Coordinates of all heavy atoms in Angstrom, one line a residue:
A1 N 46.8 242.9 -2.1 CA 47.9 243.6 -1.3 C 48.0 243.0 0.1 O 49.1 242.8 0.6 CB 47.5 245.1 -1.2
E2 N 46.8 242.7 0.8 CA 46.9 242.1 2.1 C 47.5 240.8 2.2 O 48.2 240.3 3.1 CB 45.5 242.2 2.7 CG 45.0 243.6 3.1 CD 43.5 243.6 3.4 OE1 42.8 242.7 3.0 OE2 43.1 244.6 4.0
N3 N 47.1 239.9 1.1 CA 47.7 238.6 1.0 C 49.3 238.6 0.8 O 50.0 237.9 1.4 CB 47.1 237.8 -0.2 CG 46.0 237.0 0.0 OD1 46.1 235.9 0.7 ND2 44.8 237.5 -0.2
V4 N 49.7 239.5 0.0 CA 51.1 239.7 -0.2 C 51.9 240.2 1.1 O 53.0 239.8 1.3 CB 51.4 240.6 -1.4 CG1 52.9 240.8 -1.6 CG2 50.8 240.0 -2.7
E5 N 51.2 241.1 1.8 CA 51.9 241.8 2.8 C 51.9 240.8 4.1 O 52.8 241.0 5.0 CB 50.9 243.0 3.3 CG 51.4 243.7 4.4 CD 50.5 244.8 4.9 OE1 49.2 244.7 4.6 OE2 51.0 245.7 5.5
L6 N 51.2 239.8 4.1 CA 51.1 238.9 5.3 C 52.4 238.4 5.9 O 52.5 238.6 7.1 CB 50.1 237.7 5.0 CG 49.4 237.1 6.2 CD1 48.6 238.0 6.8 CD2 48.5 235.9 5.6
P7 N 53.3 237.9 5.1 CA 54.6 237.4 5.7 C 55.3 238.5 6.5 O 56.0 238.4 7.5 CB 55.4 236.9 4.6 CG 54.4 236.6 3.5 CD 53.3 237.6 3.6
L8 N 55.3 239.8 5.9 CA 56.0 240.9 6.5 C 55.3 241.3 7.9 O 56.0 241.7 8.8 CB 55.9 242.1 5.6 CG 56.5 241.9 4.2 CD1 56.5 243.2 3.5 CD2 57.9 241.5 4.3
T9 N 54.0 241.1 8.0 CA 53.4 241.3 9.3 C 53.8 240.4 10.3 O 54.2 240.9 11.5 CB 51.8 241.1 9.1 OG1 51.4 241.8 7.9 CG2 51.0 241.5 10.3
Y10 N 54.1 239.1 10.0 CA 54.6 238.2 10.9 C 56.0 238.5 11.3 O 56.6 238.1 12.4 CB 54.5 236.8 10.4 CG 53.1 236.2 10.2 CD1 52.7 235.6 9.1 CD2 52.3 236.4 11.3 CE1 51.5 235.2 9.0 CE2 50.9 235.9 11.2 CZ 50.5 235.3 10.0 OH 49.3 234.7 9.8
L11 N 56.6 239.3 10.4 CA 58.1 239.6 10.7 C 58.3 240.8 11.5 O 59.3 241.4 11.7 CB 58.9 239.6 9.4 CG 59.2 238.3 8.6 CD1 59.7 238.6 7.3 CD2 60.2 237.5 9.5
D12 N 57.2 241.5 11.8 CA 57.1 242.7 12.6 C 57.8 243.9 11.9 O 58.4 244.7 12.5 CB 57.7 242.6 14.0 CG 56.9 241.6 14.9 OD1 55.7 241.7 14.7 OD2 57.5 240.9 15.6
I13 N 57.6 243.9 10.5 CA 58.2 245.0 9.7 C 57.2 246.2 9.8 O 56.0 246.0 9.7 CB 58.5 244.6 8.3 CG1 59.7 243.6 8.3 CG2 58.7 245.8 7.4 CD1 59.9 242.9 7.0
K14 N 57.7 247.5 10.0 CA 56.8 248.6 10.2 C 55.9 248.8 8.9 O 56.3 248.4 7.7 CB 57.6 249.8 10.6 CG 58.6 250.2 9.5 CD 59.3 251.6 10.1 CE 60.3 252.0 9.0 NZ 61.1 253.1 9.5
A15 N 54.9 249.4 9.1 CA 53.7 249.6 8.1 C 54.2 250.2 6.9 O 54.0 249.9 5.8 CB 52.6 250.2 8.7
S16 N 55.0 251.3 7.0 CA 55.4 252.1 5.9 C 56.3 251.2 4.9 O 56.2 251.3 3.8 CB 56.2 253.4 6.2 OG 57.3 253.1 7.1
E17 N 57.2 250.4 5.6 CA 58.1 249.6 4.7 C 57.3 248.4 4.1 O 57.5 248.1 2.9 CB 59.3 249.0 5.6 CG 60.3 248.3 4.7 CD 61.4 247.6 5.5 OE1 61.6 248.1 6.7 OE2 62.0 246.7 5.0
R18 N 56.3 247.9 4.8 CA 55.5 246.9 4.3 C 54.7 247.4 3.0 O 54.7 246.7 1.9 CB 54.4 246.4 5.2 CG 55.0 245.7 6.5 CD 54.0 244.8 7.2 NE 52.7 245.5 7.4 CZ 52.5 246.0 8.7 NH1 53.4 246.0 9.8 NH2 51.2 246.6 8.9
E19 N 54.2 248.6 3.1 CA 53.5 249.2 2.1 C 54.4 249.4 0.8 O 54.0 249.1 -0.3 CB 52.9 250.6 2.5 CG 51.9 251.1 1.5 CD 51.2 252.4 2.1 OE1 51.1 252.5 3.3 OE2 51.1 253.3 1.3
E20 N 55.5 249.9 1.1 CA 56.6 250.1 -0.1 C 56.9 248.8 -0.7 O 56.9 248.7 -2.0 CB 57.8 250.8 0.5 CG 58.8 251.2 -0.6 CD 60.0 251.9 -0.1 OE1 60.1 252.3 1.1 OE2 61.0 252.1 -0.9
R21 N 57.2 247.8 0.0 CA 57.6 246.5 -0.5 C 56.5 245.8 -1.3 O 56.8 245.3 -2.4 CB 58.1 245.5 0.6 CG 59.5 245.8 1.2 CD 60.0 244.5 1.6 NE 60.9 244.6 2.8 CZ 61.4 243.6 3.4 NH1 61.2 242.4 3.0 NH2 62.2 243.7 4.4
V22 N 55.3 245.9 -0.7 CA 54.0 245.3 -1.5 C 53.9 246.0 -2.9 O 53.8 245.4 -3.9 CB 52.9 245.4 -0.6 CG1 51.6 245.1 -1.5 CG2 52.9 244.5 0.5
S23 N 54.0 247.4 -2.7 CA 53.8 248.2 -4.0 C 54.9 247.8 -5.1 O 54.6 247.6 -6.2 CB 54.0 249.7 -3.7 OG 53.9 250.4 -4.8
N24 N 56.2 247.6 -4.6 CA 57.2 247.3 -5.5 C 57.1 245.9 -6.2 O 57.3 245.7 -7.4 CB 58.6 247.4 -4.8 CG 59.0 248.8 -4.5 OD1 58.6 249.7 -5.1 ND2 59.9 248.9 -3.6
I25 N 56.7 245.0 -5.4 CA 56.6 243.5 -5.9 C 55.3 243.5 -6.8 O 55.4 242.7 -7.8 CB 56.6 242.5 -4.7 CG1 56.8 241.1 -5.2 CG2 55.2 242.5 -4.0 CD1 58.3 240.8 -5.4
L26 N 54.3 244.3 -6.5 CA 53.1 244.1 -7.4 C 53.4 244.8 -8.7 O 52.9 244.3 -9.7 CB 51.9 244.8 -6.8 CG 51.3 244.1 -5.5 CD1 50.1 244.8 -4.9 CD2 50.9 242.6 -5.9
K27 N 54.2 245.8 -8.7 CA 54.7 246.5 -9.9 C 55.5 245.4 -10.8 O 55.3 245.2 -12.0 CB 55.5 247.7 -9.7 CG 54.8 249.0 -9.5 CD 55.8 250.1 -9.2 CE 55.0 251.3 -8.6 NZ 55.7 252.1 -7.8
R28 N 56.4 244.8 -10.1 CA 57.2 243.8 -10.8 C 56.4 242.7 -11.4 O 56.8 242.2 -12.5 CB 58.2 243.2 -9.8 CG 59.0 242.1 -10.4 CD 60.1 241.7 -9.5 NE 61.0 240.7 -10.2 CZ 62.1 240.1 -9.8 NH1 62.6 240.5 -8.7 NH2 62.8 239.2 -10.5

C-alpha cells in the first residue's frame, strides 16, 4: 500500500484521498 501511495505523497494529495485511491486500485 505504501509503495502504491508514494506518487500521491509527492503530489501533496490529502491522506484520506490517498487511502481511497490506493484501496480502489488494489481492488482493481
Side-chain angles (χ1 to χ4, degrees):
E2 287 166 344
N3 265 284
V4 174
E5 183 185 21
L6 207 53
L8 300 181
T9 309
Y10 292 132
L11 290 169
D12 294 328
I13 289 170
K14 62 183 184 182
S16 58
E17 187 182 339
R18 293 202 308 266
E19 194 176 320
E20 186 180 350
R21 282 214 216 171
V22 170
S23 172
N24 289 341
I25 197 82
L26 291 180
K27 272 184 201 149
R28 176 172 183 172

